[in-house]
Amino acid sequence: KKHLPVPQKLKWDLKYLESELDIATSHFQKLSKSFELIVTTPEYGKGFIKKKRMSPDGYIQMALQLAYYKLYQKIPKTYESASTRIYSEGRTETIRPVSEYSAQFVKSMFSESATREQRTMLLRKAVQYQTQIKIDACLGLGWDRHLLGLYYACQELQRKPPALFMDKNFFAPDI
Protein backbone atom coordinates (compact mmCIF):
# COMPACT_ATOMS: atom_id res chain seq x y z
CA LYS A 1 0.00 0.00 0.00
CA LYS A 2 1.10 3.51 -0.73
CA HIS A 3 1.31 5.96 2.14
CA LEU A 4 -0.14 9.27 1.13
CA PRO A 5 0.45 12.53 2.97
CA VAL A 6 -2.34 13.76 5.20
CA PRO A 7 -4.68 16.03 3.21
CA GLN A 8 -4.39 19.72 3.96
CA LYS A 9 -7.13 22.28 3.57
CA LEU A 10 -6.45 24.69 0.72
CA LYS A 11 -7.01 28.36 1.37
CA TRP A 12 -8.39 30.31 -1.56
CA ASP A 13 -8.31 34.07 -1.82
CA LEU A 14 -11.07 34.98 -4.28
CA LYS A 15 -11.51 38.61 -3.27
CA TYR A 16 -10.18 39.81 -6.63
CA LEU A 17 -12.92 37.75 -8.35
CA GLU A 18 -15.88 39.02 -6.30
CA SER A 19 -17.23 41.38 -8.99
CA GLU A 20 -16.90 38.71 -11.73
CA LEU A 21 -18.65 36.17 -9.49
CA ASP A 22 -21.47 38.66 -8.80
CA ILE A 23 -21.90 39.28 -12.55
CA ALA A 24 -21.93 35.54 -13.29
CA THR A 25 -24.43 34.87 -10.50
CA SER A 26 -26.73 37.63 -11.74
CA HIS A 27 -26.50 36.35 -15.32
CA PHE A 28 -27.28 32.80 -14.19
CA GLN A 29 -30.30 33.95 -12.18
CA LYS A 30 -31.71 35.83 -15.21
CA LEU A 31 -31.21 32.77 -17.42
CA SER A 32 -32.75 30.39 -14.89
CA LYS A 33 -35.97 32.44 -14.71
CA SER A 34 -36.58 31.83 -18.43
CA PHE A 35 -35.84 28.11 -18.20
CA GLU A 36 -38.68 25.62 -18.14
CA LEU A 37 -38.08 21.98 -17.32
CA ILE A 38 -40.56 19.44 -18.61
CA VAL A 39 -40.00 15.82 -17.68
CA THR A 40 -41.57 13.24 -19.95
CA THR A 41 -41.38 9.49 -20.16
CA PRO A 42 -40.93 8.52 -23.79
CA GLU A 43 -42.12 5.17 -25.09
CA TYR A 44 -38.85 4.86 -27.00
CA GLY A 45 -35.88 3.94 -24.86
CA LYS A 46 -33.75 1.02 -23.73
CA GLY A 47 -36.84 -1.12 -23.12
CA PHE A 48 -37.86 -0.73 -26.76
CA ILE A 49 -34.31 -1.55 -27.93
CA LYS A 50 -34.16 -4.63 -25.68
CA LYS A 51 -37.52 -5.83 -27.03
CA LYS A 52 -35.89 -5.74 -30.46
CA ARG A 53 -33.18 -8.03 -29.01
CA MET A 54 -30.36 -5.55 -29.36
CA SER A 55 -27.88 -4.10 -26.90
CA PRO A 56 -28.86 -0.52 -26.00
CA ASP A 57 -25.17 0.37 -25.85
CA GLY A 58 -24.47 -1.02 -29.32
CA TYR A 59 -27.60 0.61 -30.69
CA ILE A 60 -26.56 4.02 -29.36
CA GLN A 61 -23.05 3.54 -30.74
CA MET A 62 -24.58 2.99 -34.19
CA ALA A 63 -26.81 6.05 -33.76
CA LEU A 64 -23.75 8.15 -32.91
CA GLN A 65 -21.91 6.91 -35.99
CA LEU A 66 -24.96 7.58 -38.14
CA ALA A 67 -25.31 11.13 -36.80
CA TYR A 68 -21.61 11.86 -37.39
CA TYR A 69 -21.82 10.53 -40.94
CA LYS A 70 -24.88 12.68 -41.63
CA LEU A 71 -22.99 15.77 -40.47
CA TYR A 72 -19.58 15.12 -42.04
CA GLN A 73 -20.07 12.40 -44.69
CA LYS A 74 -17.28 10.37 -43.05
CA ILE A 75 -17.23 7.33 -40.82
CA PRO A 76 -16.06 8.53 -37.38
CA LYS A 77 -13.14 7.25 -35.37
CA THR A 78 -14.65 6.37 -32.02
CA TYR A 79 -13.56 5.01 -28.68
CA GLU A 80 -15.56 3.34 -25.97
CA SER A 81 -14.28 2.17 -22.62
CA ALA A 82 -14.81 -1.37 -21.31
CA SER A 83 -14.25 -2.27 -17.68
CA THR A 84 -12.05 -5.21 -16.76
CA ARG A 85 -13.05 -4.93 -13.10
CA ILE A 86 -13.80 -8.66 -12.86
CA TYR A 87 -10.04 -9.10 -12.57
CA SER A 88 -7.93 -8.14 -9.58
CA GLU A 89 -6.82 -4.55 -10.12
CA GLY A 90 -8.64 -4.51 -13.46
CA ARG A 91 -8.77 -1.21 -15.26
CA THR A 92 -10.22 -0.55 -18.69
CA GLU A 93 -9.82 -1.83 -22.20
CA THR A 94 -10.65 -0.02 -25.39
CA ILE A 95 -13.61 -0.89 -27.57
CA ARG A 96 -13.45 0.30 -31.16
CA PRO A 97 -17.15 0.24 -32.13
CA VAL A 98 -16.47 1.27 -35.73
CA SER A 99 -16.29 -1.79 -37.93
CA GLU A 100 -16.97 -2.91 -41.47
CA TYR A 101 -20.46 -3.80 -40.21
CA SER A 102 -21.17 -0.38 -38.73
CA ALA A 103 -19.83 1.34 -41.85
CA GLN A 104 -22.10 -0.79 -44.06
CA PHE A 105 -25.08 0.04 -41.84
CA VAL A 106 -24.38 3.77 -41.82
CA LYS A 107 -23.86 3.93 -45.59
CA SER A 108 -27.03 1.90 -46.19
CA MET A 109 -29.04 4.60 -44.43
CA PHE A 110 -28.08 7.01 -47.23
CA SER A 111 -28.51 4.55 -50.08
CA GLU A 112 -31.73 4.86 -52.03
CA SER A 113 -31.44 1.24 -53.15
CA ALA A 114 -31.23 -0.18 -49.61
CA THR A 115 -34.47 -1.65 -48.31
CA ARG A 116 -35.76 -1.34 -44.77
CA GLU A 117 -35.06 -5.06 -44.25
CA GLN A 118 -31.45 -4.68 -45.46
CA ARG A 119 -30.88 -1.70 -43.18
CA THR A 120 -32.36 -3.58 -40.22
CA MET A 121 -30.18 -6.62 -40.94
CA LEU A 122 -27.06 -4.42 -41.23
CA LEU A 123 -27.94 -2.64 -37.97
CA ARG A 124 -28.32 -6.00 -36.21
CA LYS A 125 -24.96 -7.23 -37.55
CA ALA A 126 -23.24 -4.01 -36.48
CA VAL A 127 -24.76 -4.12 -32.98
CA GLN A 128 -23.94 -7.84 -32.59
CA TYR A 129 -20.33 -7.21 -33.58
CA GLN A 130 -19.99 -4.24 -31.22
CA THR A 131 -21.55 -6.28 -28.40
CA GLN A 132 -19.15 -9.18 -28.99
CA ILE A 133 -16.03 -7.00 -29.00
CA LYS A 134 -17.30 -5.32 -25.84
CA ILE A 135 -17.73 -8.70 -24.14
CA ASP A 136 -14.27 -9.77 -25.33
CA ALA A 137 -12.72 -6.57 -23.99
CA CYS A 138 -14.42 -6.97 -20.59
CA LEU A 139 -13.14 -10.55 -20.40
CA GLY A 140 -9.56 -9.47 -20.98
CA LEU A 141 -9.47 -10.49 -24.64
CA GLY A 142 -8.98 -6.97 -25.98
CA TRP A 143 -5.86 -5.97 -27.87
CA ASP A 144 -5.79 -2.18 -27.78
CA ARG A 145 -4.21 -1.63 -24.34
CA HIS A 146 -1.73 -4.45 -24.95
CA LEU A 147 -0.49 -2.90 -28.19
CA LEU A 148 -0.41 0.55 -26.62
CA GLY A 149 1.77 -0.88 -23.85
CA LEU A 150 4.14 -2.39 -26.41
CA TYR A 151 4.33 0.93 -28.24
CA TYR A 152 5.23 2.81 -25.04
CA ALA A 153 7.71 0.09 -24.08
CA CYS A 154 9.54 0.75 -27.36
CA GLN A 155 9.64 4.46 -26.54
CA GLU A 156 10.88 3.83 -23.02
CA LEU A 157 13.59 1.48 -24.29
CA GLN A 158 14.45 4.01 -27.02
CA ARG A 159 13.82 1.45 -29.75
CA LYS A 160 12.19 1.99 -33.08
CA PRO A 161 8.62 0.65 -32.93
CA PRO A 162 7.65 -2.09 -35.41
CA ALA A 163 6.23 -0.93 -38.74
CA LEU A 164 2.69 -1.69 -37.56
CA PHE A 165 2.84 1.31 -35.22
CA MET A 166 4.00 3.62 -38.00
CA ASP A 167 1.04 2.78 -40.24
CA LYS A 168 -1.50 5.63 -40.14
CA ASN A 169 -4.29 3.09 -40.53
CA PHE A 170 -3.28 1.39 -37.29
CA PHE A 171 -3.98 4.51 -35.27
CA ALA A 172 -6.77 6.01 -37.37
CA PRO A 173 -8.52 3.51 -39.62
CA ASP A 174 -10.73 4.89 -42.37
CA ILE A 175 -13.46 2.49 -43.31
Side-chain angles (χ1 to χ4, degrees):
K1 286 188 172 184
K2 293 181 181 178
H3 295 285
L4 299 175
V6 176
Q8 295 181 357
K9 183 177 180 178
L10 298 175
K11 295 178 182 175
W12 297 88
D13 180 10
L14 301 178
K15 288 181 184 163
Y16 68 96
L17 288 176
E18 284 181 5
S19 64
E20 285 86 353
L21 290 171
D22 288 341
I23 292 168
T25 301
S26 173
H27 181 67
F28 175 76
Q29 287 172 343
K30 286 177 189 172
L31 286 175
S32 67
K33 288 178 182 166
S34 66
F35 181 76
E36 183 178 353
L37 177 64
I38 299 171
V39 178
T40 62
T41 307
E43 293 179 22
Y44 180 77
K46 73 177 181 180
F48 171 81
I49 298 166
K50 285 181 176 184
K51 284 181 185 173
K52 299 296 180 185
R53 297 179 160 229
M54 282 191 264
S55 156
D57 175 60
Y59 185 92
I60 294 300
Q61 288 296 327
M62 297 314 121
L64 291 170
Q65 291 179 43
L66 181 60
Y68 186 92
Y69 190 86
K70 185 173 182 175
L71 289 171
Y72 303 105
Q73 293 73 50
K74 298 191 313 190
I75 300 295
K77 294 157 181 64
T78 63
Y79 161 91
E80 184 181 4
S81 179
S83 173
T84 56
R85 68 177 176 253
I86 63 171
Y87 297 102
S88 175
E89 298 185 39
R91 299 286 188 263
T92 61
E93 176 57 86
T94 301
I95 302 169
R96 303 287 178 181
V98 176
S99 66
E100 292 176 38
Y101 304 110
S102 67
Q104 289 171 6
F105 160 68
V106 166
K107 289 175 182 176
S108 78
M109 296 302 287
F110 297 93
S111 168
E112 291 182 22
S113 63
T115 66
R116 180 183 175 111
E117 291 77 21
Q118 288 170 327
R119 291 173 177 151
T120 301
M121 184 262 309
L122 291 170
L123 172 61
R124 287 188 181 285
K125 275 187 175 180
V127 170
Q128 285 171 352
Y129 180 80
Q130 186 274 348
T131 301
Q132 187 58 56
I133 62 171
K134 181 178 182 176
I135 291 167
D136 290 348
C138 290
L139 294 175
L141 300 173
W143 53 267
D144 201 277
R145 294 283 196 247
H146 177 71
L147 290 177
L148 183 64
L150 292 174
Y151 177 76
Y152 283 123
C154 288
Q155 285 189 329
E156 191 172 308
L157 296 171
Q158 298 178 343
R159 292 189 176 178
K160 183 178 176 185
L164 168 69
F165 296 106
M166 300 298 107
D167 187 324
K168 72 178 180 112
N169 293 311
F170 177 74
F171 285 112
D174 285 322
I175 296 176

